[in-house]
C-alpha cells in the first residue's frame, strides 16, 4: 500500500472544463498547472484527471485512440510530464484515468482487427464472433455490418467503444477464448505497457497511479465473484508492487469487498442503483418526496447508507479504502437536490469518514447541475455536470477568454451562479467550510483514512441524527429542521472543536440545532 494514499484527499478534474490557458475555449493541461495552488489551498493534495488522451471524443475521451499520446486539444506529452513535476513539487499526487476495457473504434489495434481475414497480433485483441450472422447473447452488445471482417464485435458502452479481449470465464462458443489464451494474455500485457509508460514519465517518475474505468468488466461471462477479472487485476497489482510500489490504483467497481481483494487500493462508493450514496444526496422519485438523508424535510435516516457501507467497511478496512465521492462526471451534481447548508453537512460527513475522499471540481462552491445543457461528446444527461469551472464573476466565469460561443460547454450565466472569488471573500461560504473541514482532517490523523470508525447513534423518524466516533473525536449530524438531544455516554467532558449551525453538550447530552454538525474531542 503506497503510504501517501492514506493521507490523500482527491480533487477530480474534468480537463476540458477546468481552466483554458490559451483562449481556444477548452480547458487544458497548462490551465491545470496554473490552478494547482488553488487545489492545494483548498486542502486537496491529489488529483484524478479524466482521460486526456488522443481520442475522437465520442464519449468525452473514454474512447481512447492512442493511450500514449495526450490529446492535442489539451497540450502535449511534454505538458503532461511537466504537470507531473509541478504536482510533485507541491508534494501532491496525480492519478490518470485508465480505460482498460475498450478502445475507440479508431484505435490502430481495431483498424487491424477489423480487416477482412485479419490475422496476426491484433486478430483477437477484440472479441469477434465467427460470422456476421449472429443475433447476440444475453448481457452483451454486438455490432454487425460495420466491418470487412466477417463477424460481429462486442462493445462495452457506446457503439464507438469495441471491447478489448480478456477472454470468457465460461466459454460456450468456439470464438470465445479462455482468459489463459495467449491472445488474451497479450491484451493484459499491452495494458501493463501503457501503465508503465505513464508511471515512468520522461524522467523516471511520472503519474502516481490510475483511476480505472469499468474495472470489473474485463472478462466476459465472469462469475458472481468476478474471479477471472480479479485474477487479471491481481496480476497487474503484482507488477505494480514490484516495479512501482508507490503507485495506487482506484477502481470504478463499487463493490469494495471484491475490488480490494482483486488488488485495488481503493474503490468508489458510486451512485449505482439504489446505493448508499444516493440515499444521502438524491433519494427521490420524480414528482414524489425527496428522502435524501441530507434533505432537511426528507424522511430518510442514515440507516440506508450504513446498510451498504458497514458490511463493505468491515470487509475491507484492513486492506484498502472506500472512496466517498461528492459526485463525478457521470452523476448529477449534489447541488441538484441539496441547498448550500445541506451540502455543507454532506461535506462535514464526507470529510470526517474513513477512507479516501474524492471531491468533484466545482462542488466546493456548489456549482449547479445545468441539466438543460445540450448533450456534448456522448454526455447526454451527464453534460450538465461537466460545464466550465466558475472562477469569478467576470466574462465566461473566468474560465476562458474565448468568445462565449467558442466554449467547450456554456458556463452557468443564470443569476446566483456561484464562483470561487466571491465565495473566498465570504467567511460563511461553502468553499470556506470545505477548507475548514479539510484542514481539520489533514491536521488530525484520527480524522483521516484510518479504520477507527464507530457508530454511536443512528436515529430514525423524528430524530434523524447520526453520531459517530473516530478515535478521540465525536461527530454529530442533524439534517432536520428540528433540534435534537441525544444521550451518549462519554468518559471525559467533550470539548467543542467545530460546528456548523450550532451545537452543545451538557452532562452526556449532545444537542444539535436544526441542520447542524458538531465535532468534539473527548
Ligand atoms: C465510466 C466512465 C464514463 C464512461 C464509461 C465508458 O463509467 O466514468 O464516463 O462513459 O465508463 O468508458
Ligand atoms: Ca485551451
Amino acid at each position: 500500500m503506497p503510504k501517501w494514499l492514506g493521507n490523500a484527499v482527491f480533487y477530480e478534474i474534468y480537463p476540458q472544463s477546468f481552466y483554458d490557458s490559451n483562449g481556444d475555449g477548452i480547458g487544458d493541461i497548462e490551465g491545470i498547472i496554473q490552478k494547482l495552488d488553488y487545489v492545494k489551498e483548498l486542502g486537496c493534495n491529489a488529483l484524478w484527471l479524466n482521460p486526456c488522451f488522443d481520442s475522437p471524443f465520442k464519449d468525452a475521451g473514454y474512447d481512447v485512440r492512442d493511450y500514449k499520446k495526450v490529446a492535442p486539444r489539451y497540450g502535449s506529452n511534454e505538458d503532461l510530464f511537466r504537470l507531473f513535476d509541478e504536482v510533485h513539487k507541491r508534494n501532491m499526487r496525480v492519478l490518470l484515468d485508465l480505460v482498460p476495457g475498450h478502445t475507440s473504434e479508431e484505435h490502430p489495434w481495431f483498424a487491424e482487427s477489423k480487416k477482412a481475414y485479419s490475422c496476426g497480433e491484433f486478430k483477437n485483441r477484440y472479441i469477434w464472433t465467427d460470422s456476421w450472422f449472429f443475433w447476440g447473447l444475453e448481457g452483451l452488445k454486438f455490432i454487425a455490418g460495420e466491418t470487412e471482417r466477417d463477424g460481429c464485435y462486442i462493445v462495452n458502452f457506446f457503439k464507438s467503444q469495441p471491447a478489448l479481449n480478456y477472454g470468457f470465464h465460461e466459454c460456450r462458443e468456439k470464438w470465445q477464448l479462455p482468459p489463459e489464451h495467449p491472445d488474451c494474455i497479450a491484451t493484459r500485457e499491452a495494458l501493463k505497457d501503457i501503465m508503465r509508460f505513464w508511471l515512468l514519465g520522461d524522467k523516471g517518475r511520472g503519474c502516481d497511479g490510475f483511476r480505472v474505468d469499468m474495472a470489473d468488466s474485463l472478462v466476459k461471462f465472469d462469475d458472481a465473484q468476478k474471479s477471472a477479472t480479479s485474477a487479471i487485476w491481481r496480476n497487474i497489482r503484482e507488477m505494480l508492487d514490484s516495479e512501482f510500489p508507490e503507485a495506487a490504483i482506484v477502481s470504478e467497481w463499487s463493490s469494495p469487498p471484491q475490488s480490494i481483494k482483486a488488488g485495488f487500493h481503493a474503490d468508489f462508493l458510486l451512485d449505482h442503483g439504489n446505493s448508499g450514496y444516493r440515499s444521502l444526496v438524491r433519494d427521490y422519485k420524480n414528482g414524489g418526496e425527496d428522502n435524501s438523508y441530507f434533505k432537511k424535510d426528507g424522511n430518510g435516516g442514515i440507516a440506508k447508507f450504513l446498510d451498504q457501507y458497514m458490511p463493505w467497511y468491515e470487509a475491507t478496512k484492513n486492506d484498502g479504502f472506500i472512496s466517498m465521492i461528492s459526485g463525478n462526471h457521470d452523476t448529477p451534481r449534489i447541488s441538484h437536490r441539496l441547498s448550500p447548508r445541506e451540502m455543507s453537512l454532506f461535506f462535514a460527513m464526507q470529510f470526517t469518514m474513513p477512507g479516501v475522499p474524492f471531491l468533484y471540481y466545482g462542488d466546493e462552491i456548489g456549482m449547479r447541475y445545468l441539466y438543460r445543457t445540450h448533450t456534448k461528446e456522448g454526455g447526454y444527461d451527464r453534460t450538465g455536470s461537466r460545464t466550465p469551472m466558475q472562477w469569478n464573476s467576470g466574462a465566461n466565469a473566468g474560465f476562458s477568454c474565448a468568445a462565449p460561443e467558442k466554449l467547450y460547454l456554456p458556463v452557468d450565466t443564470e443569476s446566483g451562479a456561484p464562483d470561487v472569488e466571491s465565495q473566498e471573500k465570504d467567511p460563511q461560504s461553502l468553499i470556506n467550510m470545505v477548507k475548514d473541514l479539510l484542514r481539520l482532517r489533514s491536521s488530525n490523523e484520527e480524522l483521516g483514512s484510518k479504520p477507527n470508525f464507530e457508530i454511536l447513534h443512528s436515529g430514525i423518524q423524528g430524530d434523524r441524527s447520526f453520531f459517530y466516533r473516530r478515535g478521540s473525536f465525536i461527530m454529530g449530524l442533524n439534517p432536520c429542521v428540528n433540534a435534537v438531544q441525544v444521550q451518549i455516554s462519554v468518559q471525559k467532558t467533550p470539548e467543542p472543536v467545530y460546528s456548523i449551525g450550532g451545537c452543545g453538550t451538557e452532562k452526556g447530552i449532545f444537542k444539535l440545532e436544526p441542520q447542524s454538525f458538531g465535532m468534539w474531542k473527548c
Side-chain angles (χ1 to χ4, degrees):
M1 176 69 73
K3 191 161 175 280
W4 64 269
L5 188 63
N7 301 318
V9 175
F10 280 91
Y11 191 79
E12 177 189 345
I13 293 181
Y14 194 68
Q16 41 281 60
S17 296
F18 197 54
Y19 187 58
D20 172 20
S21 71
N22 61 355
D24 64 357
I26 187 150
D28 43 57
I29 290 173
E30 172 57 31
I32 299 173
I33 294 175
Q34 291 180 22
K35 296 295 184 184
L36 285 177
D37 290 328
Y38 165 77
V39 176
K40 181 142 199 201
E41 275 157 36
L42 186 62
C44 295
N45 56 10
L47 306 177
W48 155 28
L49 306 187
N50 290 106
C52 54
F53 313 108
D54 183 47
S55 164
F57 293 106
K58 292 188 177 172
D59 185 17
Y62 282 96
D63 48 329
V64 181
R65 184 165 51 198
D66 184 345
Y67 285 103
K68 295 185 180 173
K69 182 178 171 205
V70 167
R73 72 188 202 181
Y74 301 133
S76 62
N77 283 16
E78 285 60 45
D79 292 325
L80 188 54
F81 294 143
R82 200 158 44 83
L83 171 87
F84 300 156
D85 292 343
E86 291 295 327
V87 161
H88 296 146
K89 256 191 228 162
R90 290 166 176 79
N91 205 15
M92 296 168 77
R93 307 283 169 150
V94 52
L95 301 185
L96 298 182
D97 208 317
L98 182 70
V99 188
H102 45 269
T103 66
S104 157
E105 61 192 346
E106 294 183 19
H107 195 289
W109 297 341
F110 192 66
E112 285 300 315
S113 202
K114 72 178 187 184
K115 287 184 177 159
Y117 312 107
S118 172
C119 58
E121 197 182 347
F122 302 110
K123 176 180 174 215
N124 291 320
R125 183 55 52 93
Y126 299 84
I127 303 169
W128 293 91
T129 63
D130 49 12
S131 162
W132 63 274
F133 191 76
F134 187 74
W135 294 111
L137 281 175
E138 205 186 322
L140 298 176
K141 294 190 228 175
F142 290 83
I143 303 293
E146 279 280 310
T147 63
E148 289 186 352
R149 179 166 171 167
D150 179 6
C152 307
Y153 60 94
I154 295 181
V155 297
N156 269 350
F157 203 69
F158 292 146
K159 179 244 158 199
S160 54
Q161 291 159 312
L164 286 162
N165 195 358
Y166 294 90
F168 282 72
H169 183 55
E170 215 187 281
C171 300
R172 298 176 199 156
E173 310 273 346
K174 223 172 48 252
W175 50 266
Q176 298 173 356
L177 307 179
E180 315 71 65
H181 189 282
D183 291 348
C184 301
I185 301 281
T187 310
R188 184 192 75 197
E189 294 305 307
L191 185 63
K192 284 187 195 160
D193 174 58
I194 296 160
M195 296 173 84
R196 288 190 182 103
F197 179 82
W198 291 113
L199 287 166
L200 280 170
D202 56 346
K203 303 187 209 73
R205 183 171 180 201
C207 70
D208 300 285
F210 301 91
R211 172 270 188 186
V212 180
D213 188 68
M214 294 177 65
D216 61 332
S217 70
L218 305 188
V219 177
K220 305 306 179 199
F221 292 157
D222 208 349
D223 56 19
Q225 292 75 43
K226 304 263 172 176
S227 47
T229 296
S230 299
I232 294 177
W233 289 117
R234 271 194 296 275
N235 174 282
I236 289 173
R237 171 69 183 267
E238 270 170 36
M239 179 280 278
L240 291 178
D241 286 349
S242 80
E243 296 173 34
F244 304 97
E246 283 297 293
I249 44 176
V250 181
S251 51
E252 185 194 33
W253 190 314
S254 214
S255 182
Q258 286 182 355
S259 52
I260 305 286
K261 253 196 224 110
F264 283 94
H265 299 98
D267 187 13
F268 293 109
L269 199 163
L270 294 173
D271 72 335
H272 297 166
N274 197 13
S275 72
Y277 167 80
R278 275 194 198 211
S279 78
L280 299 178
V281 301
R282 57 183 167 92
D283 188 358
Y284 71 102
K285 291 198 179 61
N286 280 336
E289 59 188 17
D290 189 331
N291 285 325
S292 312
Y293 178 68
F294 285 101
K295 205 74 209 151
K296 67 175 187 215
D297 39 18
N299 281 314
I302 195 70
K304 206 162 161 185
F305 170 80
L306 294 175
D307 285 350
Q308 181 180 60
Y309 183 81
M310 288 314 286
W312 285 2
Y313 170 73
E314 290 301 338
T316 59
K317 62 183 182 187
N318 299 318
D319 306 308
F321 300 116
I322 295 176
S323 284
M324 283 184 67
I325 59 169
S326 64
N328 66 29
H329 62 291
D330 295 327
T331 69
R333 286 195 179 267
I334 40 167
S335 60
H336 183 43
R337 304 302 293 191
L338 304 185
S339 68
R341 169 58 75 82
E342 289 164 347
M343 284 188 265
S344 70
L345 299 181
F346 170 81
F347 287 132
M349 176 173 163
Q350 189 195 2
F351 298 140
T352 57
M353 289 288 281
V356 177
F358 279 68
L359 176 66
Y360 184 50
Y361 84 95
D363 281 348
E364 69 275 29
I365 54 170
M367 262 174 67
R368 296 185 287 202
Y369 174 47
L370 304 179
Y371 54 91
R372 290 195 193 90
T373 310
H374 191 73
T375 184
K376 177 100 180 184
E377 299 181 348
Y380 301 102
D381 58 350
R382 305 176 295 180
T383 310
S385 299
R386 300 174 173 186
T387 59
M389 178 70 177
Q390 292 151 212
W391 296 103
N392 58 43
S393 57
N396 297 331
F399 160 69
S400 167
C401 60
E405 64 279 7
K406 285 189 71 189
L407 299 186
Y408 174 73
L409 281 172
V411 293
D412 185 353
T413 48
E414 275 172 38
S415 84
D419 71 81
V420 171
E421 200 179 288
S422 318
Q423 286 205 9
E424 278 183 334
K425 288 186 204 135
D426 170 8
Q428 300 303 315
S429 65
L430 193 57
I431 202 172
N432 280 317
M433 280 185 220
V434 167
K435 287 187 186 187
D436 288 345
L437 289 160
L438 290 178
R439 217 174 294 123
L440 285 164
R441 183 178 177 97
S442 62
S443 50
N444 294 286
E445 225 205 317
E446 290 178 320
L447 295 175
S449 59
K450 283 182 158 212
N452 58 356
F453 176 67
E454 265 175 81
I455 300 171
L456 299 176
H457 172 82
S458 115
I460 38 165
Q461 271 150 23
D463 163 23
R464 298 199 288 125
S465 70
F466 171 39
F467 283 83
Y468 50 102
R469 183 187 266 287
R470 310 265 333 265
S472 60
F473 288 91
I474 290 180
M475 266 64 65
L477 277 163
N478 176 23
C480 305
V481 281
N482 52 298
V484 293
Q485 299 203 358
V486 174
Q487 181 150 23
I488 290 171
S489 67
V490 284
Q491 308 293 327
K492 285 193 261 164
T493 313
E495 267 173 61
V497 178
Y498 185 72
S499 103
I500 298 173
C503 53
T505 53
E506 217 184 316
K507 299 192 188 109
I509 306 281
F510 287 72
K511 299 180 190 169
L512 293 175
E513 294 300 321
Q515 290 197 283
S516 67
F517 166 75
M519 182 191 284
W520 294 267
K521 197 146 170 103
C522 114

